[in-house]
Amino acid sequence: MRYYSTRGTDSDELRTFTDILLRGLAPDGGLYMPVEYPQVSAEMLSEWTRIFREEGYAALAFEVMRLYIDDIPEPDLRYLCKKAYSPHVFGTKEVAPVSALPDGMWLLHLSNGPTAAFKDMAMQMLGHLFEYVLRREGRWLNIVGATSGDTGSSAEYAMLGKDRIRVFMLTPAGRMTAFQRAQMYGLDDPAITNIAVEGVFDDCQDIVKAISADAQFKEQYSIGAVNSINWARLLAQVVYYIAAWIQVSGDPRRKVSFSVPTGNFGDICAGHIARSMGVPIDRLIVATNENDVLDEFFRTGVYRVRSGTETLATSSPSMDISKASNFERFVFDLVGRDQMTVRQLFGQELASNGEFSLAGTPAFADARMRYGFLSGSSTHSDRIDSIESVYRHEDIIIDPHTADAWKVGRDAIRGGVVEPPLIVLETALPVKFAETIEEAIGFRPEIPERFAGIESQPQHVIDMPNDAQAVKQLIRQTVDAD
Ligand SMILES: *Cc1c(COP(=O)(O)O)cnc(C)c1O
């Protein structure tokens, strides 16, 4: 398999998987995409079903990923999958088990990894892939990232103990939940440096950008990222859509639909890729919170990004985005993979006007008709009602993000817009967002055994001013001292 940029030109060189693994954006500002989606036949689906049932999730992950990775020998890739998706790391043999809800709905549990959020599903694999490729190439990597909570902790736990990798994670001082702080700052490892910046998430993000923009520093200190546009993360996520289909259907003639709590469009983009490969998926429902940039697009055809001040701080904070970083990948497919159109839309119109419109075009009609997309949004009170209702009727506590997808999904089922079975993706455990849960059901969720006492452990964090130079100095000192 070879990869190219959504904004490139046909004469650009095609790259291999490990070549794009450690890169962020393509040099032209686009995102890397495989030149095609391998197609799965009914026989392959049956074979994958057998493999998942007999050998488990890791074996399925290998079967899917090897279609996209041809520059890591198969025995090595199989071994990396096995290490990433062990029942020991994810708590169950299925790794991503399902449970049934009424109305033909299901929950897909993606939050049983080390940090209790679905980002572990991809990040754990990424940690092993990074280590493998860095060893092979004799390189080091200093990952510098910014987080408002989930991504940073997931990245730290994935990179922990990996050879040749250090992590410097910027967090907005005093703006994460107590549990999120405990998870990250509780790590005591010389390769992990937590930094609390006097500022908000955007300030952290700006420091990361400033560091990446210093080409000489970036090169000298081998600075890298683990951002949401990394292709390997999407690829790893494709696997659980297939595992979910196997568990709920397993019959190549019987399709399933998904409702996905959406922020940066990474998770649901993986669903789109699975569907494009021929996995029997009917509808993909984009569920947003009050920050409804994407719901607006799927309703109207207008993609209008928001400014920082227009982006609301909600009770499903991991979906508080103003601009969906993976959306360009979907639009690339929507416009028939025409790189010139993508350049025009994202490189020009969006850059200068903050919006573009596909309203009335055949491409926009395709989003629903050909690619199966639907959308909806929810509010704080919907979220509270949903958590309360699922708890009262099913005795299951869902987190606020999962609640957004449950609400939009259930409305679609009840309205007859979507046929069951409908699988709701669970993206975090309730313990991460205890305050909102308490508001909904009157008490705080129980802390899972493996996180017991986490909030009383000593914390390791360096306070820093909102200043890229100071952060660079810290990186220099840490790296040079090793
Ligand atoms: C990151 C995240 C999301 C959004 O996922 P995207 O891939 O950005 O669309 C939803 N819920 C939780 C809990 C998250 O951490």
Side-chain angles (χ1 to χ4, degrees):
M1 180 62 74
R2 293 295 175 268
Y3 295 85
Y4 62 159
S5 164
T6 50
R7 296 189 201 174
T9 57
D10 290 338
S11 59
D12 280 358
E13 75 180 294
L14 299 176
R15 298 184 179 279
T16 65
F17 175 80
T18 59
D19 195 7
I20 62 162
L21 178 66
L22 300 173
R23 288 170 199 267
L25 290 175
D28 54 36
L31 288 93
Y32 286 111
M33 286 289 272
V35 294
E36 64 185 5
Y37 298 124
Q39 295 299 301
V40 297
S41 61
E43 292 73 48
M44 257 168 108
L45 288 167
S46 302
E47 179 61 8
W48 283 357
T49 302
R50 186 194 65 74
I51 288 173
F52 177 77
R53 290 186 180 148
E54 289 174 12
E55 298 170 42
Y57 191 94
L60 175 68
F62 166 71
E63 294 298 331
V64 177
M65 287 193 222
R66 76 190 175 105
L67 301 176
Y68 290 91
I69 303 175
D70 55 16
D71 56 345
I72 295 178
E74 292 203 341
D76 294 0
L77 183 61
R78 189 188 283 278
Y79 179 68
L80 297 177
C81 290
K82 216 171 156 173
K83 284 211 290 192
Y85 299 113
S86 82
H88 170 70
V89 176
F90 284 95
T92 62
K93 179 169 118 320
E94 291 82 7
V95 171
V98 295
S99 31
L101 296 173
D103 297 323
M105 290 170 69
W106 297 75
L107 263 184
L108 174 64
H109 300 282
L110 301 174
S111 315
N112 295 322
T115 72
F118 88 106
K119 296 205 165 62
D120 293 334
M121 295 294 299
M123 211 68 93
Q124 285 290 315
M125 187 70 203
L126 204 67
H128 289 286
L129 284 167
F130 273 23
E131 182 181 52
Y132 178 86
V133 171
L134 291 169
R135 270 189 190 149
R136 190 165 81 179
E137 298 180 2
R139 290 169 56 192
W140 284 80
L141 190 66
N142 291 304
I143 294 170
V144 181
T147 187
S148 53
D150 290 341
T151 309
S153 57
S154 183
E156 290 188 349
Y157 281 77
M159 302 303 161
L160 189 66
K162 300 288 185 298
D163 207 12
R164 299 175 174 274
I165 301 175
R166 281 190 208 83
V167 180
F168 296 88
M169 195 56 71
L170 280 64
T171 60
R175 285 175 193 262
M176 298 191 300
T177 68
F179 186 84
Q180 287 174 322
R181 279 200 305 274
Q183 268 191 324
M184 297 187 63
Y185 303 166
L187 286 174
D188 183 10
D189 188 285
I192 309 270
T193 307
N194 285 302
I195 302 167
V197 174
E198 216 174 280
V200 296
F201 171 68
D202 283 335
D203 298 319
C204 299
Q205 188 90 307
D206 287 345
I207 293 177
V208 174
K209 279 190 200 145
I211 293 173
S212 301
D214 181 343
Q216 206 228 320
F217 182 83
K218 196 176 168 199
E219 167 79 32
Q220 187 181 351
Y221 286 93
S222 187
I223 303 295
V226 283
N227 39 31
S228 61
I229 52 149
N230 188 297
W231 165 257
R233 280 179 67 180
L234 288 194
L235 175 56
Q237 291 177 277
V238 170
V239 180
Y240 56 69
Y241 281 89
I242 301 168
W245 168 78
I246 290 172
Q247 292 175 87
V248 170
S249 161
D251 174 353
R253 286 157 307 185
R254 186 150 180 263
K255 292 184 178 181
V256 299
S257 292
F258 289 93
S259 183
V260 184
T262 298
N264 271 319
F265 208 79
D267 202 356
I268 198 153
C269 193
H272 161 69
I273 294 161
R275 190 178 184 278
S276 300
M277 292 168 70
V279 177
I281 296 172
D282 185 20
R283 294 291 189 174
L284 290 165
I285 305 178
V286 174
T288 72
N289 63 22
E290 292 90 334
N291 295 296
D292 60 352
V293 185
L294 290 167
D295 179 35
E296 180 173 274
F297 172 79
F298 285 100
R299 278 186 291 107
T300 67
V302 176
Y303 182 59
R304 182 178 69 83
V305 303
R306 316 285 203 256
S307 66
T309 46
E310 265 184 298
T311 308
L312 304 165
T314 75
S315 48
S316 45
S318 301
M319 293 155 63
D320 292 347
I321 58 103
S322 44
K323 191 173 141 222
S325 53
N326 272 294
F327 187 55
E328 182 169 334
R329 288 194 157 107
F330 175 64
V331 172
F332 180 61
D333 282 343
L334 213 50
V335 299
R337 297 201 150 202
D338 178 356
Q339 294 159 313
M340 208 158 79
T341 303
V342 174
R343 269 206 303 279
Q344 165 80 26
L345 294 176
F346 285 87
Q348 290 165 26
E349 291 187 34
L350 199 62
S352 46
N353 311 330
E355 64 176 80
F356 64 74
S357 172
L358 293 180
T361 66
F364 180 58
D366 274 354
R368 176 179 283 258
M369 305 306 290
R370 180 165 171 209
Y371 294 105
F373 274 81
L374 294 172
S375 73
S377 66
S378 81
T379 63
H380 178 72
S381 66
D382 291 331
R383 215 164 288 138
I384 296 296
D385 290 349
S386 302
I387 295 168
E388 197 272 331
S389 167
V390 174
Y391 175 66
R392 184 151 42 88
H393 297 292
E394 304 309 316
D395 206 21
I396 296 175
I397 305 179
I398 55 174
D399 101 290
H401 306 79
T402 309
D404 288 331
W406 182 84
K407 188 261 173 195
V408 174
R410 197 209 40 180
D411 287 355
I413 286 266
R414 296 221 167 139
V417 188
V418 171
E419 305 260 310
L422 173 67
I423 303 167
V424 175
L425 269 51
E426 174 222 68
T427 53
L429 292 187
V431 64
K432 295 197 99 166
F433 305 97
E435 273 171 38
T436 306
I437 304 299
E438 186 168 23
E439 185 183 337
I441 60 176
F443 61 92
R444 294 186 156 241
E446 217 176 292
I447 298 183
E449 180 90 57
R450 64 204 164 99
F451 299 118
I454 187 175
E455 289 181 26
S456 54
Q457 274 165 15
Q459 302 200 348
H460 309 268
V461 59
I462 298 175
D463 293 313
M464 293 239 103
N466 178 9
D467 174 9
Q469 291 308 328
V471 176
K472 272 196 215 170
Q473 189 53 31
L474 176 73
I475 295 172
R476 270 193 210 100
Q477 277 169 0
T478 313
V479 174
D480 293 345
D482 252 11

Coordinates of all heavy atoms in Angstrom, one line a residue, residues 284-341:
L284 N -23.8 5.8 9.3 CA -22.8 6.3 10.3 C -23.4 7.6 10.8 O -23.6 8.6 10.0 CB -21.5 6.6 9.6 CG -20.7 5.3 9.2 CD1 -19.6 5.6 8.2 CD2 -20.1 4.6 10.4
I285 N -23.7 7.7 12.1 CA -24.3 8.9 12.6 C -23.3 9.7 13.4 O -22.6 9.3 14.3 CB -25.4 8.6 13.6 CG1 -26.5 7.6 12.9 CG2 -26.1 9.8 14.1 CD1 -27.6 7.2 13.9
V286 N -23.1 11.0 12.9 CA -22.2 11.9 13.5 C -23.0 12.6 14.7 O -24.0 13.3 14.4 CB -21.8 13.0 12.5 CG1 -20.9 14.1 13.2 CG2 -21.0 12.4 11.4
A287 N -22.6 12.4 15.9 CA -23.2 13.0 17.0 C -22.3 14.1 17.6 O -21.2 13.8 18.0 CB -23.6 12.0 18.1
T288 N -22.8 15.3 17.7 CA -21.9 16.4 18.2 C -22.6 16.9 19.5 O -23.8 16.6 19.8 CB -21.8 17.6 17.3 OG1 -23.0 18.3 17.2 CG2 -21.4 17.2 15.9
N289 N -21.9 17.8 20.3 CA -22.5 18.5 21.4 C -22.9 19.9 20.8 O -23.2 20.0 19.6 CB -21.6 18.5 22.6 CG -20.3 19.2 22.4 OD1 -20.1 20.0 21.4 ND2 -19.3 18.9 23.2
E290 N -22.9 20.8 21.7 CA -23.4 22.2 21.3 C -22.4 22.8 20.3 O -22.8 23.7 19.5 CB -23.4 23.1 22.5 CG -24.5 22.8 23.5 CD -24.1 21.9 24.6 OE1 -23.1 21.0 24.4 OE2 -24.6 21.9 25.7
N291 N -21.2 22.3 20.2 CA -20.2 22.7 19.2 C -20.5 21.9 17.9 O -19.9 20.8 17.7 CB -18.8 22.5 19.7 CG -18.5 23.4 20.9 OD1 -18.5 24.6 20.7 ND2 -18.3 22.8 22.0
D292 N -21.5 22.4 17.1 CA -22.1 21.5 16.1 C -21.6 21.8 14.7 O -22.4 21.7 13.7 CB -23.6 21.7 16.2 CG -24.0 23.1 16.0 OD1 -23.2 24.0 15.9 OD2 -25.3 23.4 15.9
V293 N -20.4 22.2 14.5 CA -19.8 22.5 13.2 C -20.1 21.3 12.2 O -20.5 21.6 11.1 CB -18.2 22.5 13.3 CG1 -17.6 22.9 12.0 CG2 -17.8 23.5 14.4
L294 N -20.0 20.1 12.7 CA -20.1 19.0 11.8 C -21.6 18.6 11.5 O -22.0 18.3 10.4 CB -19.4 17.7 12.3 CG -17.8 17.9 12.2 CD1 -17.2 16.8 13.1 CD2 -17.4 17.8 10.8
D295 N -22.4 18.7 12.6 CA -23.8 18.5 12.4 C -24.3 19.5 11.3 O -25.1 19.2 10.4 CB -24.6 18.7 13.7 CG -26.1 18.5 13.6 OD1 -26.5 17.6 12.7 OD2 -26.8 19.1 14.3
E296 N -23.9 20.8 11.5 CA -24.3 21.8 10.5 C -23.9 21.4 9.1 O -24.7 21.5 8.1 CB -23.6 23.1 10.9 CG -24.0 24.3 9.9 CD -23.5 25.6 10.5 OE1 -24.1 26.2 11.3 OE2 -22.3 26.0 10.0
F297 N -22.7 20.9 8.9 CA -22.3 20.5 7.6 C -23.2 19.4 7.0 O -23.7 19.5 5.9 CB -20.8 20.0 7.5 CG -20.5 19.4 6.2 CD1 -20.2 20.2 5.1 CD2 -20.5 18.0 6.0 CE1 -19.9 19.7 3.9 CE2 -20.3 17.5 4.7 CZ -20.0 18.3 3.6
F298 N -23.4 18.4 7.8 CA -24.2 17.3 7.3 C -25.7 17.6 7.1 O -26.4 17.0 6.3 CB -24.1 16.0 8.2 CG -22.7 15.3 8.0 CD1 -21.7 15.6 8.9 CD2 -22.5 14.6 6.8 CE1 -20.5 15.0 8.7 CE2 -21.2 14.0 6.6 CZ -20.2 14.2 7.5
R299 N -26.2 18.7 7.8 CA -27.5 19.2 7.5 C -27.6 20.1 6.3 O -28.5 20.0 5.5 CB -28.1 19.9 8.7 CG -28.7 18.9 9.8 CD -29.3 19.6 11.0 NE -28.4 20.4 11.8 CZ -28.2 21.7 11.8 NH1 -29.0 22.5 11.0 NH2 -27.3 22.2 12.6
T300 N -26.6 21.0 6.2 CA -26.7 22.1 5.2 C -25.7 22.0 4.0 O -25.9 22.7 3.0 CB -26.5 23.4 5.9 OG1 -25.2 23.5 6.4 CG2 -27.5 23.6 7.1
G301 N -24.6 21.3 4.2 CA -23.5 21.3 3.2 C -22.5 22.5 3.4 O -21.6 22.6 2.6
V302 N -22.8 23.3 4.4 CA -21.8 24.4 4.7 C -20.9 24.0 5.9 O -21.4 23.6 6.9 CB -22.6 25.7 5.1 CG1 -21.6 26.8 5.5 CG2 -23.5 26.1 4.0
Y303 N -19.6 24.1 5.6 CA -18.6 23.8 6.7 C -18.0 25.1 7.1 O -17.3 25.8 6.4 CB -17.5 22.9 6.1 CG -16.5 22.5 7.2 CD1 -16.9 21.8 8.3 CD2 -15.1 22.8 7.0 CE1 -15.9 21.5 9.3 CE2 -14.2 22.5 7.9 CZ -14.6 21.8 9.1 OH -13.7 21.5 10.1
R304 N -18.4 25.5 8.3 CA -18.0 26.8 8.8 C -17.3 26.6 10.1 O -17.9 26.3 11.1 CB -19.2 27.8 9.0 CG -18.9 29.1 9.5 CD -20.1 30.0 9.7 NE -21.0 29.6 10.8 CZ -20.8 29.9 12.0 NH1 -19.8 30.7 12.4 NH2 -21.6 29.5 13.0
V305 N -16.0 26.8 10.1 CA -15.2 26.6 11.4 C -15.5 27.7 12.3 O -15.9 28.8 11.9 CB -13.7 26.4 11.1 CG1 -13.4 25.3 10.2 CG2 -13.1 27.7 10.6
R306 N -15.3 27.5 13.6 CA -15.6 28.5 14.6 C -14.3 29.1 15.2 O -13.2 28.4 15.1 CB -16.4 27.9 15.8 CG -17.5 27.0 15.4 CD -18.7 27.8 14.8 NE -20.0 27.0 15.0 CZ -20.6 26.4 14.0 NH1 -20.1 26.5 12.7 NH2 -21.7 25.7 14.2
S307 N -14.3 30.2 15.7 CA -13.2 30.8 16.4 C -13.1 30.2 17.8 O -14.1 29.6 18.3 CB -13.3 32.3 16.5 OG -14.4 32.6 17.3
G308 N -12.0 30.4 18.5 CA -11.8 30.0 19.8 C -12.9 30.5 20.7 O -13.5 29.8 21.6
T309 N -13.3 31.8 20.6 CA -14.3 32.4 21.5 C -15.7 31.9 21.2 O -16.5 31.9 22.0 CB -14.3 33.9 21.3 OG1 -14.3 34.3 20.0 CG2 -13.1 34.5 22.0
E310 N -15.9 31.4 20.0 CA -17.2 30.8 19.6 C -17.3 29.4 20.0 O -18.4 28.8 19.9 CB -17.3 30.9 18.1 CG -18.1 32.1 17.5 CD -18.2 31.9 16.0 OE1 -17.2 31.8 15.3 OE2 -19.4 31.8 15.6
T311 N -16.2 28.8 20.5 CA -16.2 27.4 20.9 C -16.6 27.3 22.3 O -15.9 27.8 23.2 CB -14.8 26.7 20.6 OG1 -14.4 27.0 19.3 CG2 -14.9 25.2 20.8
L312 N -17.7 26.6 22.6 CA -18.2 26.6 24.0 C -17.5 25.5 24.8 O -17.1 24.5 24.3 CB -19.7 26.2 23.9 CG -20.6 27.2 23.0 CD1 -21.9 26.6 22.8 CD2 -20.7 28.5 23.7
A313 N -17.4 25.8 26.1 CA -16.9 24.8 27.0 C -18.1 24.0 27.5 O -19.0 24.6 28.2 CB -16.1 25.5 28.2
T314 N -18.2 22.7 27.1 CA -19.4 22.0 27.5 C -19.1 20.8 28.5 O -17.9 20.6 28.8 CB -20.0 21.3 26.2 OG1 -19.1 20.2 25.8 CG2 -20.1 22.3 25.0
S315 N -20.1 20.1 28.8 CA -19.9 19.0 29.7 C -19.5 17.7 29.0 O -19.4 16.6 29.6 CB -21.1 18.7 30.6 OG -22.3 18.7 29.7
S316 N -19.3 17.8 27.7 CA -18.6 16.7 26.9 C -17.4 17.3 26.3 O -17.3 17.5 25.1 CB -19.5 15.9 25.9 OG -20.2 16.8 25.1
P317 N -16.4 17.7 27.1 CA -15.3 18.6 26.7 C -14.4 18.0 25.6 O -13.8 18.8 24.9 CB -14.5 18.8 28.0 CG -14.8 17.6 28.9 CD -16.2 17.3 28.5
S318 N -14.3 16.7 25.5 CA -13.4 16.2 24.5 C -14.0 16.3 23.1 O -13.4 16.0 22.1 CB -13.1 14.7 24.7 OG -12.5 14.6 26.0
M319 N -15.2 16.9 23.0 CA -15.8 17.1 21.7 C -16.0 18.6 21.4 O -16.6 19.1 20.5 CB -17.2 16.5 21.6 CG -17.1 15.0 21.6 SD -18.5 14.1 22.2 CE -19.7 14.7 21.0
D320 N -15.3 19.4 22.3 CA -15.4 20.9 22.1 C -14.4 21.4 21.1 O -13.3 21.8 21.4 CB -15.1 21.6 23.5 CG -16.2 21.4 24.5 OD1 -17.3 20.9 24.0 OD2 -16.0 21.7 25.6
I321 N -14.7 21.2 19.8 CA -13.8 21.6 18.8 C -14.4 22.6 17.9 O -15.6 22.7 17.8 CB -13.3 20.4 17.9 CG1 -14.5 19.7 17.3 CG2 -12.5 19.4 18.7 CD1 -14.7 20.0 15.9
S322 N -13.5 23.4 17.3 CA -14.0 24.5 16.4 C -13.8 24.1 15.0 O -14.3 24.7 14.0 CB -13.3 25.8 16.7 OG -12.0 25.6 16.9
K323 N -12.9 23.1 14.8 CA -12.4 22.7 13.4 C -12.1 21.3 13.6 O -11.3 20.9 14.5 CB -11.1 23.6 13.2 CG -10.6 23.6 11.9 CD -9.5 24.6 11.8 CE -8.4 24.0 10.9 NZ -7.1 24.2 11.4
A324 N -12.6 20.4 12.7 CA -12.4 19.0 12.8 C -11.2 18.5 12.0 O -11.3 18.5 10.7 CB -13.7 18.3 12.3
S325 N -10.1 18.2 12.6 CA -8.8 18.1 11.9 C -8.8 16.9 10.9 O -8.1 16.9 9.9 CB -7.7 17.9 12.9 OG -7.9 16.9 13.8
N326 N -9.7 15.9 11.1 CA -9.7 14.8 10.1 C -10.7 14.9 9.0 O -10.8 14.0 8.1 CB -9.9 13.5 10.8 CG -8.6 12.9 11.3 OD1 -7.8 12.5 10.6 ND2 -8.5 12.8 12.7
F327 N -11.5 16.0 9.1 CA -12.6 16.1 8.2 C -12.2 16.1 6.7 O -12.9 15.7 5.8 CB -13.4 17.3 8.5 CG -14.7 17.5 7.8 CD1 -15.7 16.5 7.8 CD2 -15.0 18.7 7.1 CE1 -16.9 16.7 7.1 CE2 -16.2 18.9 6.4 CZ -17.1 17.9 6.4
E328 N -11.0 16.7 6.5 CA -10.5 16.8 5.1 C -10.4 15.5 4.5 O -10.5 15.3 3.2 CB -9.1 17.5 5.2 CG -8.5 17.7 3.9 CD -7.2 18.7 3.9 OE1 -7.2 19.5 4.8 OE2 -6.4 18.5 3.0
R329 N -10.1 14.4 5.2 CA -10.0 13.1 4.7 C -11.3 12.6 4.1 O -11.4 12.1 3.0 CB -9.5 12.1 5.7 CG -8.1 12.2 6.1 CD -7.6 11.0 6.9 NE -6.2 10.9 6.9 CZ -5.4 11.1 7.9 NH1 -5.8 11.6 9.1 NH2 -4.1 11.0 7.8
F330 N -12.4 12.9 4.8 CA -13.7 12.5 4.3 C -14.1 13.3 3.0 O -14.6 12.8 2.0 CB -14.7 12.7 5.4 CG -16.1 12.4 4.9 CD1 -16.5 11.1 4.5 CD2 -17.1 13.4 4.9 CE1 -17.8 10.9 4.0 CE2 -18.4 13.2 4.5 CZ -18.7 11.9 4.0
V331 N -13.8 14.6 3.1 CA -14.2 15.5 2.0 C -13.4 15.1 0.7 O -13.9 15.1 -0.4 CB -13.9 17.0 2.3 CG1 -14.1 17.9 1.1 CG2 -14.9 17.4 3.4
F332 N -12.2 14.6 0.9 CA -11.3 14.1 -0.2 C -12.1 13.0 -0.9 O -12.2 13.0 -2.1 CB -10.0 13.6 0.5 CG -9.0 13.0 -0.5 CD1 -8.4 13.8 -1.5 CD2 -8.6 11.7 -0.3 CE1 -7.5 13.2 -2.3 CE2 -7.6 11.2 -1.1 CZ -7.1 11.9 -2.2
D333 N -12.6 12.1 -0.2 CA -13.4 11.0 -0.8 C -14.7 11.5 -1.4 O -15.1 11.1 -2.5 CB -13.8 9.9 0.2 CG -12.6 9.0 0.6 OD1 -11.6 9.0 -0.2 OD2 -12.6 8.3 1.6
L334 N -15.3 12.5 -0.7 CA -16.6 13.0 -1.2 C -16.4 13.7 -2.6 O -17.3 13.6 -3.4 CB -17.0 14.1 -0.1 CG -18.5 14.3 0.1 CD1 -19.2 13.0 0.4 CD2 -18.7 15.2 1.3
V335 N -15.3 14.4 -2.8 CA -15.1 15.1 -4.1 C -14.4 14.2 -5.1 O -13.7 14.7 -6.0 CB -14.4 16.4 -3.9 CG1 -15.2 17.4 -3.0 CG2 -13.0 16.3 -3.3
G336 N -14.5 12.9 -4.9 CA -13.9 12.0 -5.8 C -12.4 12.0 -5.8 O -11.8 11.7 -6.8
R337 N -11.8 12.3 -4.7 CA -10.4 12.3 -4.5 C -9.7 13.2 -5.5 O -8.6 13.0 -5.9 CB -9.8 10.8 -4.6 CG -10.3 9.9 -3.6 CD -9.5 8.7 -3.4 NE -9.5 8.3 -2.0 CZ -8.6 7.5 -1.4 NH1 -7.5 7.2 -2.0 NH2 -8.7 7.2 -0.1
D338 N -10.4 14.3 -5.7 CA -9.8 15.3 -6.6 C -9.0 16.3 -5.7 O -9.5 17.2 -5.0 CB -10.9 16.1 -7.3 CG -10.4 17.2 -8.2 OD1 -9.2 17.4 -8.2 OD2 -11.3 17.8 -8.9
Q339 N -7.6 16.2 -5.9 CA -6.7 16.9 -5.0 C -6.8 18.4 -5.2 O -6.7 19.2 -4.3 CB -5.3 16.4 -5.2 CG -5.1 15.0 -4.6 CD -3.9 14.3 -5.2 OE1 -3.7 14.3 -6.4 NE2 -3.2 13.6 -4.4
M340 N -7.1 18.8 -6.5 CA -7.2 20.2 -6.8 C -8.4 20.8 -6.0 O -8.3 21.9 -5.5 CB -7.4 20.4 -8.3 CG -6.8 21.8 -8.7 SD -6.4 21.8 -10.4 CE -8.0 22.0 -11.2
T341 N -9.5 20.1 -6.0 CA -10.7 20.6 -5.3 C -10.4 20.7 -3.8 O -10.8 21.7 -3.2 CB -11.9 19.7 -5.6 OG1 -12.1 19.6 -6.9 CG2 -13.2 20.2 -4.9

